[in-house]
Amino acid sequence: MAAAALGAAGSGAAKSVLLKVVILGDGGVGKSSLMNRFVNNEFDAQSFHTIGVEFLNKVVALNNESYTLQIWDTAGQERFKSLRTPFYRGADCCLLVFGIDDEQSFRNLTMWKKEFLYYADVADPEHFPFVVVGNKIDVRARQVRSEDAEAWCKANGGLAYFETSAKEAIKVEQAFLAAAQQVPKSDGPVATDYSNSVNLAETPGKRTCCL
Ligand SMILES: Nc1nc2c(ncn2[C@@H]2O[C@H](COP(=O)(O)OP(=O)(O)OP(=O)(O)O)[C@@H](O)[C@H]2O)c(=O)[nH]1
């Protein structure tokens, strides 16, 4: 979506700019865990595979403005492809996640980026705000060198790169905020009236399943 303004109609409440943030990457790299850490500051070692798509909201302040990050957590497993791709449309920014302990998940970043750009149908694919996340840096068995991840980011238009741990709460917030911060200002805010739908800004941390 183009960034949209949220706020209870007639309440005089301050508007919050809505940004749709999509998280992509192989199954098991920690997408749900990153979302859960960022929104609820929780980590579940028994996290289950996502089926389809879920989203959570978090209100943040950026440059003295209020933003509602609507974070869409997608299923990484190939068999759920047709369930996740319809939700790419309208994304304002995207986190491409791999596990630093899983080389294949790093190799698959190219496929994830391509899939996203194909289905999201964004106006300016060359400059779309992607942030690359190497998760699980608390794990000792590293398979992907930081230099290689940085080189991939450079070769893909100079994308920002963060190494995170959802488990130990390392750099998770920074990665999400960096993605939000890269959304071009010209995208919004658009005066959209959400008064007749669920006021997403008032349901932070509530997990909503889209299937
Ligand atoms: N050590 C460690 N484990 C993590 C971290 N993040 C996630 N995990 C674990 O990795 C497993 C997969 O995490 P999920 O968050 O379910 O992964 P996902 O990418 O959402 O997986 P799909 O839903 O299948 O796409 C779970 O057992 C998590 O507890 C991390 O930063 N460090």
Side-chain angles (χ1 to χ4, degrees):
M1 74 189 61
L6 274 180
S11 68
K15 296 266 184 199
S16 183
V17 179
L18 178 67
L19 296 182
K20 178 172 178 177
V21 184
V22 172
I23 316 179
L24 297 183
D26 278 10
V29 296
K31 299 179 296 299
S32 304
S33 302
L34 287 164
M35 178 173 76
N36 225 2
R37 172 60 76 191
F38 179 58
V39 176
N40 297 320
N41 200 18
E42 288 171 359
F43 178 77
D44 178 5
Q46 309 298 327
S47 176
F48 294 104
H49 283 300
T50 305
I51 297 170
V53 175
E54 296 178 334
F55 71 85
L56 288 176
N57 298 298
K58 182 172 169 107
V59 179
V60 299
L62 285 175
N63 308 323
N64 294 323
E65 277 194 71
S66 172
Y67 288 82
T68 298
L69 304 192
Q70 188 179 94
I71 301 159
W72 295 69
D73 171 30
T74 62
Q77 291 183 308
E78 177 60 26
R79 64 194 162 121
F80 297 131
K81 180 173 176 174
S82 63
L83 300 184
R84 66 175 177 255
T85 50
F87 294 93
Y88 295 177
R89 256 175 194 272
D92 292 297
C93 53
C94 175
L95 266 64
L96 295 170
V97 184
F98 69 94
I100 60 107
D101 61 338
D102 178 356
E103 194 182 354
Q104 189 57 47
S105 71
F106 173 62
R107 288 213 199 100
N108 286 342
L109 286 185
T110 302
M111 179 280 290
W112 285 111
K113 183 165 171 262
K114 207 168 148 188
E115 178 183 293
F116 175 81
L117 289 173
Y118 181 80
Y119 288 100
D121 193 24
V122 301
D124 185 4
E126 296 262 310
H127 301 104
F128 187 82
F130 287 105
V131 162
V132 178
V133 175
N135 189 39
K136 306 196 186 182
I137 52 159
D138 58 282
V139 174
R140 283 176 180 221
R142 181 186 271 271
Q143 289 187 2
V144 183
R145 299 185 315 159
S146 306
E147 306 89 277
D148 293 338
E150 279 159 9
W152 189 89
C153 291
K154 198 172 170 196
N156 280 270
L159 307 180
Y161 176 55
F162 290 85
E163 294 200 334
T164 62
S165 167
K167 184 178 181 189
E168 296 188 355
I170 299 169
K171 294 268 179 80
V172 176
E173 187 169 79
Q174 288 91 328
F176 279 97
L177 295 185
Q181 244 155 355
Q182 286 181 44
V183 177
K185 259 285 190 192
S186 57
D187 259 16
V190 175
T192 304
D193 183 3
Y194 282 82
S195 55
N196 290 324
S197 59
V198 181
N199 189 338
L200 298 166
E202 287 177 0
T203 55
K206 185 172 180 298
R207 190 174 280 245
T208 307
C209 184
C210 296
L211 288 162

